[in-house]
Amino acid sequence: YSRTGEGMHRFTDPADGRTYVYTQLFLDDVQRVFAAFDQPDLKAVFELAVTAPEDWTVLANSVTEHTGDGVWKAAPTPPISTYLVAVAAGPWHSVRTEHRGLPFGIHCRRSLAPHLDADADELLDITRACFDRYHEKFEEPYPFDSYDQAFVPEFNAGAMENPGLVTFRDEFVYRSAVTDTERQTRARVVAHEMAHMWFGDLVTLTWWDDIWLNESFAEYMGYQILTEATRFTDTWTNFGVAGKAWGYDADQRPSTHPVAPGDVEDTASALLNFDGISYAKGASALRQLVAWLGEKDFLAGINIHFQRHKFANATLADFIDSLAAATDRDVHAWADAWLRTTG
Ligand SMILES: [Zn+2]
């Protein structure tokens, strides 16, 4: 167990003494939980069995079943990367529903139950609206068998796009009055992580030099889907004020790098690139690309990309080739100018 959010995080709630564990195996922390050849392009089917205290609920990437004697079994996953395997176990408070025939759930530690319940309708409405909108844009259906969103304690990032079991920092379960901008931010994170179900989880980067393929895309889609499908219709204004400034700031520093760097030697170097370039500048570049190609051709290219590489891996070159198949415009030259340069 860890207390740093790396590997299997274990937390005892000071409010009531109850204990919870959850995995965070990104980017190369699977080694802390089980042995694996840990590369994003080595996908496998995972079939988990978890032994836990009787009063716990065990969540995983796929639907879990309590088979007795404290043993929980998770249905076999489709082929996924090692960094995306997830388990969250504890005496969770859960709100469950079903959408399009799939089980949906939101979960938090019990001491936060009244606060999750107060926002459950809002969270599930946003989840359903985004889910439906992605299905209007993407030809490939949602690739997993359930959609759980767990708000977990002491999370060391914003959220993590584990297939079928997205984890969020539980500060997103608001315990007092918040501004509407905070609600918009939370909704955007919901939409961002859901975009990863296709871009990141279904089609995964071959190596960590292409994290922008995950993050720029999810960031762009998070803003766009929220604008189209929810009451938060002015999210691009928020991006213009805060998002782009983050990108400009990162791009003026000596530590700047291309949106799509050519050379990332190891995972420690890759981790340095989770910054305003990979998220904000990359999302801004994609937004420009959509305006230039037109959304129809952009989505056609995206759908070709999913069709070609689903349950497998892809690189920048593959992504650009997929887009090029859907347009007459020179997307290779665009990528060289906007993704391969700094400044
Ligand atoms: Zn992301």
Side-chain angles (χ1 to χ4, degrees):
Y1 300 119
S2 80
R3 273 304 289 286
T4 58
E6 299 161 294
M8 181 77 78
H9 187 93
R10 184 177 189 276
F11 169 84
T12 298
D13 193 338
D16 57 15
R18 296 178 196 275
T19 296
Y20 300 83
V21 297
Y22 62 88
T23 52
Q24 169 70 355
L25 304 189
F26 181 83
L27 168 148
D28 59 350
D29 280 333
V30 69
Q31 51 170 308
R32 298 171 193 269
V33 179
F34 59 87
F37 292 101
D38 183 19
Q39 290 178 207
D41 61 344
L42 295 176
K43 293 195 175 187
V45 171
F46 287 87
E47 201 171 343
L48 301 182
V50 177
T51 306
E54 274 296 331
D55 61 335
W56 281 20
T57 301
V58 177
L59 307 168
N61 299 102
S62 45
V63 169
T64 58
E65 188 192 352
H66 191 187
T67 59
D69 294 332
V71 176
W72 293 70
K73 291 203 166 135
T77 65
I80 58 174
S81 303
T82 42
Y83 80 92
L84 293 169
V85 175
V87 171
W92 301 112
H93 170 70
S94 300
V95 180
R96 295 178 186 274
T97 182
E98 203 178 276
H99 186 59
R100 289 173 168 247
L102 297 179
F104 276 32
I106 52 176
H107 315 269
C108 71
R109 55 186 152 118
R110 280 199 200 171
S111 63
L112 298 181
H115 307 296
L116 187 74
D117 288 348
D119 279 357
D121 285 347
E122 177 181 323
L123 279 165
L124 289 169
D125 281 349
I126 288 163
T127 301
R128 286 185 285 251
C130 293
F131 197 83
D132 289 347
R133 194 68 184 177
Y134 281 126
H135 279 93
E136 288 168 22
K137 290 183 177 286
F138 301 157
E139 288 163 10
E140 202 58 44
Y142 174 71
F144 308 105
D145 72 358
S146 52
Y147 200 69
D148 284 298
Q149 298 176 101
F151 295 85
V152 299
E154 298 183 327
F155 198 65
N156 74 6
M160 178 64 205
E161 67 268 24
N162 310 299
L165 177 55
V166 177
T167 42
F168 297 80
R169 57 170 44 236
D170 72 10
E171 286 81 356
F172 279 132
V173 179
Y174 300 131
R175 291 143 229 195
S176 61
V178 293
T179 64
D180 210 44
T181 301
E182 284 171 281
R183 292 188 182 280
Q184 176 179 302
T185 299
R186 180 173 70 181
R188 186 163 50 73
V189 177
V190 168
H192 173 118
E193 301 309 324
M194 198 183 288
H196 279 309
M197 297 298 126
W198 285 265
F199 237 89
D201 297 357
L202 177 66
V203 179
T204 308
L205 39 69
T206 299
W207 177 244
W208 299 108
D209 52 349
D210 277 330
I211 57 159
W212 75 276
L213 268 180
N214 278 10
E215 297 310 337
S216 308
F217 189 86
E219 196 71 352
Y220 167 78
M221 274 295 164
Y223 281 98
Q224 184 62 27
I225 291 294
L226 215 56
T227 300
E228 293 179 17
T230 73
R231 72 180 175 88
F232 300 109
T233 53
D234 60 351
T235 50
W236 282 113
T237 306
N238 184 278
F239 181 78
V241 172
K244 286 193 85 163
W246 183 29
Y248 285 130
D249 182 282
D251 211 11
Q252 287 172 46
R253 293 171 186 274
S255 54
T256 190
H257 56 86
V259 170
D263 182 29
V264 175
E265 287 185 2
D266 53 37
T267 51
S269 310
L271 207 51
L272 293 175
N273 290 343
F274 281 80
D275 60 6
I277 303 290
S278 298
Y279 284 77
K281 186 184 174 186
S284 204
L286 282 178
R287 192 180 184 210
Q288 179 211 48
L289 179 69
V290 176
W292 183 54
L293 295 180
E295 200 197 20
K296 188 165 157 280
D297 286 355
F298 175 74
L299 287 178
I302 296 298
N303 282 316
I304 290 167
H305 190 64
F306 293 150
Q307 179 60 38
R308 284 181 181 172
H309 305 290
K310 60 183 170 184
F311 300 113
N313 299 80
T315 62
L316 167 65
D318 296 326
F319 179 67
I320 299 302
D321 285 348
S322 298
L323 290 175
T327 177
D328 295 335
R329 304 214 167 188
D330 189 352
V331 282
H332 290 93
W334 177 87
D336 286 343
W338 290 94
L339 302 181
R340 289 298 202 184
T341 59
T342 62

